[in-house]
Amino acid sequence: MDRVRQPGDGRIARYAIEREAEKLKAKSAALRLRPDLIHKRIQSGGTMVWVIKDPLARTYVHFTEQEHTMLCLADGKRSLTQLCSDAAALFVPQHLPATNVVQFFAEANAKGLLIAAKLPSSAKTTSRWSNPLAIRLPGIDPTPWLGYLDPIARVLFSPFAIVAGIAVMLVAVSMAVSRWSVFAENLSTAAGRFDLWVVLVLAIAMTKITHELAHAMVCRKLGGQCTEIGVMFLVGIPCLYCDVSDAWMIPRPWKRMLVSAAGMIAELMIAAIATWVWVFTIDGPLRDVCVTVMVVCSASTVLFNGNPLMRYDGYYILSDAIGIPNLAGRANALANDRLRNFLWGVAPVYSSSVDDAGARSIGLIAYFIASVVYRWMVYSALATVFYAWAKSHGGGDLALIVIGSLLMSFLVRGFPRWFKKPCTQSRSSDFFSTRPGLALAGLSALLVAGAFVPLPRSVTAPSITQPQSAETLVVTLPGRVQNAVRGGTVVQPGQVVCSLVDDDAAQHRLSMTTRRDQLVSTLASLQNRRGIDSDAASTIPATRRALDETEKQIKLVDRELDRRSIRATVRGVAFDPERMAMSPVRAEDSQFWSGTPLDLDNRGARLDEGTTICVIGDEVERDAIAYIRQQDVELVRVGQPVAILVADRPRGSVRGVIMEVATSPANEIPEGLIRSGRISDKAIDVLRSPYYQARVRIDHQATPLSVRMIATVQVEVESASAWIRLRRWFSNAF
């Protein structure tokens, strides 16, 4: 995470300044500037300005030369009337109204710069929790142990080290560009190796720690101090932050910009070193780590940290480059000022520290619009990811309620800044007959109407593909594999796909055959002797009955043996079933098998009853079997369109339609869905939270989808308003 700098020089909200002005007018005591404040004259935007550091709140406020002189008039001896008179003399020949002077000291009082103000000792603590998406935990003062890095800093900041670093980065860029195809292939390989995630996380963590230490070391080298290093949670992700706010006290702007850029420079240097290592290593874990570090420390750090539209390194570089401290705060204050001017028609508040008139005001408004658009793009992306995650776990409607609540909270927080009645407005005027009242009524009507407008919605569920018109062949009687077709073979109806043999049944048939042959021989002998041996003639009927009984037993055994010959009933391709791994305990036993029953290595292996031999179906066309949660299955209907999200296909390119929805829960979940993590084994409970199967007919694909491919389906169900979704969520929850 990037460093934190809190200039604290943004304009206070208009209505807050008006309240402070009323308080100052009501007080009879003279105003006095706090003696513990630290004053420093620095260069900003080609002019000299004053920075006042509040050692209690650790905030920094910027003033022009005239404003600083006017602020120093508050010596505790002058009354508010005298301050207005003496301050007006500072701006001669320009006219400075007394109202502007009162508002100026009211803003200084609100910032805690005057003795009359309440000391803002808790301001920093409050700001840690002001943004729920970026929560900073209290850190530590690194000053004692940063001194140990001074010898390293002297070496790194030497002219030789700087020139060498630039050379290393330039050569690294040329090597990466010349090997771009190899780099892209290695990056794809590294992304697929999840067994290295611990090493990759540690490598990324070390680069981010180096990033923050670079800020602290450069700030210390250029005369500033690093007051705090700690951990913050950025959208729930733990990151490191480094508070080098003291960089505002550095006189030269190029030095302040160097402090801001130090982290990115350090990461680019790490990326360059990783590039050198990547070039001279072979495929393996080290190369995967180097490729990941190259991406994280180059493209991501420039796009993320170098972006001036959010308060990270690039923002502070731009602020120092154009000479507008607290750029975002001033742009936000100016935009809110213009909006309140439009709503209430009141004069603008006196602008401290920067002249926001003319072309500069247009630039600030443009920056405000760009930053707001970008910020909402980021929020929308986060909301989309959160909604997709919640939807995959059955909480899509709840996620929409949470997102809507956060949106409402943002709007409610903005309303007081825009619709708070100025102190100069008449208390007796009818609010709803004014422009603010009409605007608020219109916004409220839009929000209420939005709650009842039907919006598209979908049901997300995991799925597994299978051939169309699929027939699953299973073992009905156990036996050893004697012969089988290969996976991918086209079979015809009646063709033997896999023949099994049972040793006991084969031995029994052999004994029955031997007995039949003996009885046939005995019967022939008796028939030859029946004319001369009366006993032989009397024995013939019993022998014939025994022979007939043996023939019947042989037919029964043959029928049982034939049941072990598994035949196809439809024409199609024999697709291998899900592969099975052999446990180490069974590896030496030839009776057990691994892979699929159709593999050549499994000839002679024993297959138990219920084992899937193969799936026979269409060679090209596919169906998807979706497993839908009980709370969502009531929304799914036959004929609804479906989008299938396939990892290696463009979004929206694979579509289908619901052909059938089961009326009873599925008895079991495919192992592939459990192993892929789409359905947790802890979530499988047929009685409490059952899943229902829905068959999706996938549209024809030029390149057929793989069989048993795991994917996510999005069923486009009936639209519903936010109010209907809220009612449905409450009915399901309670």
Side-chain angles (χ1 to χ4, degrees), residues 93-113:
Q94 297 179 357
H95 174 64
L96 183 64
T99 303
N100 286 8
V101 178
V102 173
Q103 290 176 343
F104 173 80
F105 283 103
E107 187 173 357
N109 190 52
K111 293 176 180 177
L113 303 181

Side-chain angles (χ1 to χ4, degrees), residues 33-63:
L33 192 65
R34 283 172 49 190
D36 61 326
L37 300 176
I38 302 173
H39 302 247
K40 188 68 173 288
R41 193 167 180 262
I42 67 170
Q43 183 179 352
S44 178
T47 61
M48 302 304 294
V49 298
W50 284 88
V51 178
I52 296 182
K53 176 181 178 180
D54 186 342
L56 295 179
R58 282 192 284 179
T59 56
Y60 301 78
V61 188
H62 291 70
F63 294 97

Side-chain angles (χ1 to χ4, degrees), residues 323-606:
I324 303 181
N326 195 30
L327 173 62
R330 298 207 62 80
N332 185 40
L334 181 61
N336 285 313
D337 230 14
R338 294 293 175 87
L339 180 59
R340 281 177 57 82
N341 292 342
F342 170 77
L343 292 175
W344 294 100
V346 295
V349 176
Y350 178 75
S351 174
S352 64
S353 74
V354 177
D355 180 14
D356 292 340
R360 174 166 285 183
S361 65
I362 298 176
L364 288 174
I365 294 295
Y367 178 84
F368 170 78
I369 295 174
S371 62
V372 168
V373 170
Y374 180 78
R375 191 180 304 119
W376 279 103
M377 288 175 58
V378 173
Y379 291 158
S380 300
L382 294 175
T384 302
V385 172
F386 171 67
Y387 175 70
W389 174 83
K391 195 173 183 180
S392 64
H393 291 77
D397 290 341
L398 177 60
L400 285 178
I401 295 172
V402 173
I403 294 171
S405 301
L406 290 175
L407 177 61
M408 287 294 297
S409 68
F410 285 136
L411 294 176
V412 170
R413 288 171 58 186
F415 280 174
R417 293 180 294 179
W418 307 326
F419 296 99
K420 181 73 175 181
K421 182 180 292 187
C423 299
T424 57
Q425 292 287 325
S426 173
R427 300 283 182 180
S428 60
S429 61
D430 185 6
F431 176 80
F432 288 100
S433 65
T434 61
R435 190 180 295 178
L438 295 176
L440 182 59
L443 287 175
S444 301
L446 288 176
L447 291 176
V448 173
F452 295 95
V453 173
L455 298 174
R457 61 174 172 170
S458 61
V459 169
T460 302
S463 69
I464 185 169
T465 59
Q466 68 176 24
Q468 286 186 13
S469 306
E471 178 194 52
T472 302
L473 301 184
V474 297
V475 175
T476 56
L477 291 176
R480 292 185 299 104
V481 179
Q482 187 177 36
N483 195 11
V485 300
R486 299 293 301 275
T489 303
V490 178
V491 296
Q492 304 296 331
Q495 180 178 344
V496 176
V497 176
C498 180
S499 59
L500 306 179
V501 62
D502 182 76
D503 294 337
D504 294 336
Q507 185 64 34
H508 181 59
R509 188 185 189 288
L510 179 61
S511 63
M512 289 294 100
T513 304
T514 303
R515 177 174 172 76
R516 182 193 61 185
D517 294 341
Q518 292 175 349
L519 289 174
V520 169
S521 177
T522 301
L523 181 61
S525 176
L526 291 174
Q527 288 177 342
N528 291 332
R529 291 186 293 112
R530 64 182 176 179
I532 58 175
D533 187 352
S534 58
D535 291 338
S538 62
T539 307
I540 288 176
T543 304
R544 183 174 285 110
R545 287 194 299 272
L547 179 60
D548 293 340
E549 186 67 26
T550 302
E551 291 284 359
K552 291 179 180 179
Q553 291 182 8
I554 291 175
K555 289 180 180 180
L556 290 176
V557 173
D558 287 342
R559 191 176 303 143
E560 180 180 348
L561 292 175
D562 187 65
R563 289 177 59 190
R564 288 183 169 86
S565 296
I566 304 171
R567 304 174 185 274
T569 58
V570 296
R571 184 187 183 281
V573 176
F575 294 96
D576 286 321
E578 197 167 13
R579 301 189 67 85
M580 187 183 75
M582 180 183 293
S583 65
V585 177
R586 300 178 174 182
E588 298 180 357
D589 193 337
S590 61
Q591 293 295 314
F592 295 99
W593 58 278
S594 62
T596 71
L598 302 183
D599 292 344
L600 288 174
D601 295 338
N602 291 324
R603 298 295 188 267
R606 180 178 177 81

